[in-house]
Amino acid sequence: MREPSKNCRLGILISGRGSNMIALADAVGQGQIPGAEIALVISDKSGAAGLARASERGLKTLVIERDGRSREDHELQTIGALDEQKIDLVCLAGYMRLLSRYFVESYRGRILNIHPSLLPAFPGLAAQRQALDHGAKWSGCTVHFVDETLDGGPIVAQSIVPVLDDDTEESLSARILEQEHRLYPEAVALIVSGQYEVVGRRVLSNR
Ligand code: GRF
């Protein structure tokens, strides 16, 4: 994936508040993702709250606005920015765009996403609402490789939380988010270490 002597350059894509991006930045800062550096944070929305939070931490940020242009045009510019920064691993963190086959192919096996459910249950939008509406007793979060399918790529790591009888979408989301902030850095550390193999759909840790 990269020369072992060089740092793994992370590119983080956000659309909103960016709390997972901050969790990754904190983990990198605390040495919990050895060999990684955050080279670029890209938002597809100029108003994303996460942008200011990234700048406050001295991270390089870029807005590649999605509104008012074609998906192809937007993706080409995004891929161009990632290429220019020689990004090794792309981390989607609340990035509200489906990536095209072309994008996935450009960074095949080098894109991760975090999703607030135990996949393959409840892919897509409002996963916490889906879990509540379905009456699930347990939910959680999943870090997975991104492929052409919706939240369907090979699973790297998962964490489980209970769904309580008095949960609202907000309270369940908060419980899951706490786990997301722990899980994403752990999963990124595994992938950055290179100590894993993908066998079919299974991501096996060699650590
Ligand atoms: C998280 O719940 C993540 O799992 C989902 O979108 C949310 C993003 O939150 N993909 P944040 O922007 O990282 O705070």
Side-chain angles (χ1 to χ4, degrees):
M1 160 170 158
R2 67 196 159 93
E3 292 171 40
S5 58
K6 278 176 53 190
N7 260 357
C8 180
R9 294 172 63 77
L10 307 183
I12 305 180
L13 269 51
I14 65 169
S15 299
R17 72 189 158 185
S19 71
N20 279 288
M21 176 266 300
I22 293 296
L24 289 174
D26 285 347
V28 168
Q30 291 160 13
Q32 288 161 7
I33 311 182
E37 65 178 297
I38 297 176
L40 182 61
V41 175
I42 300 178
S43 173
D44 66 337
K45 290 188 187 309
S46 55
L51 277 171
R53 302 177 77 185
S55 298
E56 276 164 22
R57 287 175 188 244
L59 300 175
K60 183 178 170 61
T61 62
L62 191 61
V63 176
I64 304 181
E65 191 69 61
R66 170 66 171 90
D67 289 346
R69 58 204 293 210
S70 73
R71 173 183 177 175
E72 188 186 8
D73 187 35
H74 179 256
E75 281 203 343
L76 282 176
Q77 194 183 345
T78 305
I79 293 167
L82 296 170
D83 288 349
E84 195 180 310
Q85 285 297 320
K86 299 192 167 29
I87 297 302
D88 298 297
L89 182 65
V90 178
C91 299
L92 308 185
Y95 190 62
M96 302 303 285
R97 301 280 157 212
L98 275 181
L99 303 187
S100 71
R101 177 174 290 270
Y102 177 76
F103 196 136
V104 171
E105 204 52 65
S106 301
Y107 278 80
R108 171 74 63 189
R110 298 191 294 145
I111 310 173
L112 294 175
N113 181 42
I114 186 153
H115 182 78
S117 76
L118 292 176
L119 291 170
F122 315 129
L125 293 174
Q128 303 94 332
R129 179 81 254 155
Q130 291 187 56
L132 281 174
D133 288 349
H134 197 84
K137 297 295 184 191
W138 297 89
S139 190
C141 50
T142 303
V143 177
H144 63 93
F145 282 110
V146 172
D147 64 11
E148 292 81 359
T149 61
L150 175 64
D151 298 324
I155 291 170
V156 177
Q158 290 185 306
S159 184
I160 295 176
V161 305
V163 179
L164 305 180
D165 287 351
D166 60 356
D167 261 336
T168 61
E169 190 173 352
E170 289 70 35
S171 62
L172 178 59
S173 299
R175 193 174 307 118
I176 293 173
L177 192 64
E178 201 181 319
Q179 291 304 309
E180 293 185 39
H181 295 164
R182 187 187 55 75
L183 190 71
Y184 211 178
E186 267 181 33
V188 171
L190 172 67
I191 301 308
V192 168
S193 77
Q195 294 178 315
Y196 69 96
E197 54 189 315
V198 183
V199 181
R201 284 199 48 90
R202 304 185 71 195
V203 181
L204 307 177
S205 169
N206 298 327
R207 294 177 115 182

